[in-house]
Amino acid sequence: MSKTEVRLRQPIVVVLGHVDHGKTTLLDKIRGTAVVKKEPGEMTQEVGASFVPSSVIEKVAQPLKSIIPVKLEIPGLLFIDTPGHELFSNLRRRGGSVADIAILVVDITEGFQKQTTESIEILKDKKVPFLVAANKIDRIPGWKPLENETFTKSFKTQSQSVQKALDNYVYKLVMQLAEMGFNAERFDRVRDFTRYISIVPVSGKTGEGLPELLALLAGLTQQYLKTRLRVVEGPAKGVILEVKEEQGLGHTIDVIIYDGILRKNDTIVLGGINGVIVTKIRNILLPAPLQDMRMTRSGYKSIDEISAAAGVKISAPGLEEALAGSPLYVANDEAKLQEARKLIEEELSKVRFSRNSTGIVVKADSLGSLESLVAGFEKIGIPVRVADIGPITKRDLIEAELSAKEVEEYGIIAAFRVKPLQGLDVSKVKIIYNDIIYQLIDDTVKYIEDLRERRKRRTLDSLILPGKIKILPGYVFRRSDPAIVGIEVLGGVVKPKYPLIREDGQRVGEVLAIQDNKKNLERATKGMEVSMSIKGNIMIGRQVQEGDVLYTDVPQEDLEILFKNYKDSITEDMMEVIKELIKIKKSENPLYGIFIQ
């Protein structure tokens, strides 16, 4: 080994997955294992993160010497303790993510769900490598658990039918990952870890598979991410996970430091609701070292400096308007201060914007959530007019109203974990709230589609649609003023107020009402036999005979709108009626139906 071997920092590991697939249980198990196996005085709790030392990983993974290097060069693994992709989206850094590697937790018996797919899209977008933890193997029918054992050993003790069931579940995950463009395989069958995603069967409940999961995380990051994990001695760079108000401390920020060294009294530059904030660190705080992992309220320990990677709480003046998801830079001289200010202004302007264009208003509680929402909406073709942080203001309502005047369905505010300011009249604007990103996007899409469908129905209902009827012989109940007859609908649609013409194009009257068993109908379609009253220049036996065929008199412009806007509403039988109408109308209007291909 070279004497100039570079020092490596601990990789930052983030945990993602669908709700209820066991992210928190798995993290708790990893933390609990670390507490049991740690050396005295070795483990400290960090803010927003749990550090698992390499000595713990080596002990846990002792039976897996073939997978894990004999000696780890990384100090350990730093697990971000804020599971869920909403908070993962706050781990933003210029050109990607603060996370070095991710664990995608999937319930092995349920497979991919909506949030699983969304998590993969985020990982793809941020270029974060990941492993799949196929969780809840203890739920496979017939599974006999071996507490905290390796998957390899536990799997061998299972019956053949259980082994086959697990393989089938893993194969389904392989297929689902293939559909998203990834090669994947069960970890012990992978030969090239740079080309295949490893699927590690685990149980967050029993601890089975945890040795392999930790061994792979440590081994792969050490082997393939060395350049990224080099220790940087310079000023710290970090990202704000959360902004909190703490008793006795005022407003503080929980920060993940991913590069460099952070010291007490450093000048820090970060994003705020009303622009860039420059302040000086009063205290760097860590929770008091814990013997168990239950976070106590016994206060924090003040430290003078800390190196990346780490989770810390920072106390400093002027943090009331700090933005979660904002970058944080240490800048102790004027040149660095100006550079940091410029970088943060660029970051803020990319995510927060107001455009003079039609689109929805999006409000969120953090930069990361806002960025994910805007990307999600724009990906499915919903334009965004305003994207901003914080509570819904009067300006947001005005912007949404302006959008509604141009496109009715865009007059909405999609609100992620934010509420309107007190006293605002929100009655004129539709506000859609949700605490889950994909759900908020889905709810917004559904609202827009429903509104469009309602408008389509309103407009479609205002058109005269093609219809063809036959007056049934022997079913004339009244000859005129109005004529009341039994009819069969041969094609298309007929409704009250539709004008009617004969096969020679002569107008004979207008549908007054349609009844079936004395019950009024709004419409009659092909195959229906109903009674119809017709008012106008009509007498059965003179202008119209029993057995005659009549058509609805569809104006040229109505036919054009039908084809232009509602082509998917034209049925086969309606199309046949249209062709016949064109032949009837051609003599009086040679251009009738010319636009129909």
Side-chain angles (χ1 to χ4, degrees):
M1 192 180 285
S2 163
K3 286 180 184 175
T4 57
E5 186 69 62
V6 293
R7 277 201 310 132
L8 303 180
R9 65 166 172 82
Q10 54 264 39
I12 296 170
V13 186
V14 73
V15 183
L16 299 123
H18 190 77
V19 66
D20 295 335
H21 277 201
K23 300 186 295 288
T24 307
T25 309
L26 189 63
L27 260 176
D28 285 347
K29 195 70 179 176
I30 289 168
R31 283 195 299 253
T33 302
V35 168
V36 172
K37 302 270 183 181
K38 76 183 177 69
E39 298 296 324
E42 187 178 45
M43 178 141 186
T44 55
Q45 172 76 4
E46 302 193 19
V47 175
S50 287
F51 177 59
V52 179
S54 55
S55 63
V56 168
I57 297 164
E58 283 168 0
K59 279 181 195 167
V60 172
Q62 186 65 33
L64 302 165
K65 286 176 183 168
S66 59
I67 297 179
I68 192 169
V70 178
K71 187 71 184 159
L72 284 174
E73 295 168 53
I74 57 169
L77 295 166
L78 189 74
F79 286 87
I80 301 299
D81 267 1
T82 46
H85 60 284
E86 285 87 9
L87 275 163
F88 168 63
S89 62
N90 276 347
L91 293 169
R92 315 163 62 256
R93 76 185 275 183
R94 214 166 173 75
S97 172
V98 166
D100 298 305
I101 194 164
I103 302 170
L104 180 69
V105 181
V106 184
D107 182 329
I108 193 166
T109 62
E110 286 190 9
F112 279 28
Q113 301 296 315
K114 186 83 188 236
Q115 238 168 332
T116 320
T117 308
E118 192 192 26
S119 297
I120 289 178
E121 292 292 353
I122 292 171
L123 292 169
K124 252 184 180 174
D125 181 53
K126 302 289 184 188
K127 298 181 175 58
V128 178
F130 65 96
L131 305 174
V132 174
N135 195 24
K136 303 191 183 181
I137 56 174
D138 55 286
R139 294 263 188 97
I140 295 170
W143 185 273
K144 294 189 173 79
L146 291 178
E147 291 282 325
N148 301 319
E149 193 51 80
T150 64
F151 164 75
T152 315
K153 185 173 177 182
S154 191
F155 183 67
K156 282 177 184 167
T157 66
Q158 306 301 325
S159 68
Q160 276 195 327
S161 63
V162 170
Q163 288 182 359
K164 191 177 178 186
L166 183 134
D167 276 340
N168 286 340
Y169 283 131
V170 169
Y171 180 67
K172 279 180 187 168
L173 294 179
V174 167
M175 296 306 292
Q176 288 177 313
L177 281 158
E179 283 168 18
M180 296 197 72
F182 292 99
N183 294 319
E185 190 49 274
R186 206 174 81 189
F187 73 98
D188 50 340
R189 297 169 182 157
V190 174
R191 296 290 165 265
D192 184 349
F193 288 98
T194 61
R195 294 183 57 211
Y196 278 77
I197 302 289
S198 295
I199 299 172
V200 188
V202 298
S203 168
K205 188 177 173 186
T206 68
E208 289 163 288
L210 213 59
E212 284 96 339
L213 187 66
L214 290 173
L216 274 169
L217 281 168
L220 293 178
T221 50
Q222 181 166 301
Q223 190 170 347
Y224 298 112
L225 299 177
K226 266 192 176 167
T227 308
R228 184 179 170 105
L229 296 179
R230 279 181 182 164
V231 167
V232 176
E233 300 287 354
K237 293 177 186 172
V239 62
I240 301 171
L241 264 188
E242 291 189 78
V243 182
K244 294 176 180 170
E245 193 170 3
E246 302 272 1
Q247 203 171 354
L249 292 172
H251 281 85
T252 64
I253 47 176
D254 290 353
V255 178
I256 298 296
I257 302 296
Y258 61 84
D259 245 350
I261 301 167
L262 186 75
R263 295 184 174 90
K264 195 172 176 176
N265 297 321
D266 274 344
T267 297
I268 51 170
V269 188
L270 55 134
I273 290 171
N274 292 307
V276 175
I277 295 170
V278 179
T279 185
K280 189 168 274 205
I281 295 177
R282 190 183 283 149
N283 273 306
I284 302 170
L285 301 158
L286 288 176
L290 303 172
Q291 290 315 300
D292 66 17
M293 295 309 296
R294 289 180 191 83
M295 191 96 170
T296 64
R297 288 271 171 202
S298 61
Y300 296 93
K301 175 186 164 193
S302 181
I303 56 172
D304 290 334
E305 69 171 61
I306 196 161
S307 300
V312 295
K313 182 177 286 293
I314 293 173
S315 163
L319 294 178
E320 295 82 2
E321 293 189 343
L323 278 178
S326 161
L328 176 143
Y329 300 110
V330 166
N332 288 324
D333 61 54
E334 191 56 36
K336 287 236 170 17
L337 185 64
Q338 292 311 319
E339 185 189 350
R341 188 185 283 275
K342 189 180 169 197
L343 287 173
I344 287 171
E345 280 172 351
E346 282 174 13
E347 283 291 296
L348 296 183
S349 65
K350 267 194 297 187
V351 185
R352 303 172 75 189
F353 57 79
S354 180
R355 298 168 178 158
N356 189 20
S357 59
T358 306
I360 67 170
V361 174
V362 181
K363 295 299 295 273
D365 65 338
S366 75
L367 282 178
S369 306
L370 184 65
E371 188 176 45
S372 294
L373 279 165
V374 171
F377 282 125
E378 294 191 335
K379 187 178 175 186
I380 54 175
I382 296 176
V384 176
R385 179 188 182 100
V386 173
D388 208 354
I389 304 291
I392 295 160
T393 64
K394 189 171 183 182
R395 177 180 164 268
D396 298 323
L397 298 174
I398 291 166
E399 293 286 353
E401 285 179 43
L402 288 170
S403 261
K405 284 178 184 171
E406 294 166 30
V407 178
E408 182 190 9
E409 61 266 35
Y410 291 156
I412 54 180
I413 298 172
F416 181 77
R417 294 184 179 162
V418 292
K419 293 280 186 277
L421 289 171
Q422 258 188 324
L424 274 186
D425 177 13
V426 295
S427 60
K428 292 180 186 171
V429 170
K430 174 70 178 175
I431 302 176
I432 300 169
Y433 302 96
N434 212 296
D435 284 357
I436 298 173
I437 287 177
Y438 85 85
Q439 199 67 59
L440 180 58
I441 292 173
D442 281 358
D443 292 349
T444 306
V445 168
K446 187 177 185 310
Y447 176 79
I448 288 172
E449 285 176 351
D450 286 352
L451 200 62
R452 283 174 177 166
E453 189 57 40
R454 284 202 301 275
R455 189 171 65 235
K456 178 178 168 179
R457 282 202 302 271
R458 283 201 308 268
T459 315
L460 197 56
D461 285 349
S462 69
L463 299 177
I464 294 168
L465 298 175
K468 178 182 179 182
I469 63 170
K470 178 183 180 181
I471 295 175
L472 295 171
Y475 288 92
V476 175
F477 307 111
R478 185 171 177 165
R479 295 201 170 269
S480 67
D481 200 23
I484 301 174
V485 292
I487 63 111
E488 180 189 355
V489 183
L490 302 177
V493 179
V494 285
K495 296 182 187 180
K497 297 188 178 175
Y498 274 18
L500 297 171
I501 55 172
R502 297 186 311 205
E503 288 178 292
D504 62 0
Q506 185 70 41
R507 175 78 69 94
V508 293
E510 182 183 280
V511 178
L512 190 60
I514 302 169
Q515 284 193 340
D516 185 23
N517 290 324
K518 297 185 179 177
K519 186 182 173 185
N520 283 329
L521 300 180
E522 288 183 12
R523 58 193 282 140
T525 53
K526 186 184 177 183
M528 291 176 72
E529 291 186 354
V530 293
S531 64
M532 179 182 284
S533 54
I534 306 167
K535 66 172 183 177
N537 181 28
I538 182 170
M539 180 178 280
I540 307 300
R542 189 174 294 173
Q543 289 87 358
V544 177
Q545 308 298 323
E546 293 183 40
D548 274 3
V549 169
L550 303 177
Y551 293 86
T552 57
D553 189 7
V554 183
Q556 162 102 349
E557 52 271 29
D558 284 27
L559 197 58
E560 204 163 331
I561 292 167
L562 181 65
F563 268 83
K564 190 176 171 186
N565 299 340
Y566 309 110
K567 203 165 184 178
D568 58 340
S569 301
I570 300 172
T571 57
E572 278 182 35
D573 57 288
M574 195 184 282
M575 193 65 216
E576 289 304 312
V577 176
I578 290 167
K579 287 174 185 172
E580 291 171 32
L581 270 172
I582 289 170
K583 285 180 188 170
I584 294 168
K585 292 277 202 172
K586 279 281 187 189
S587 57
E588 64 180 69
N589 181 2
L591 296 177
Y592 187 89
I594 199 164
F595 49 86
I596 297 167
Q597 298 300 314

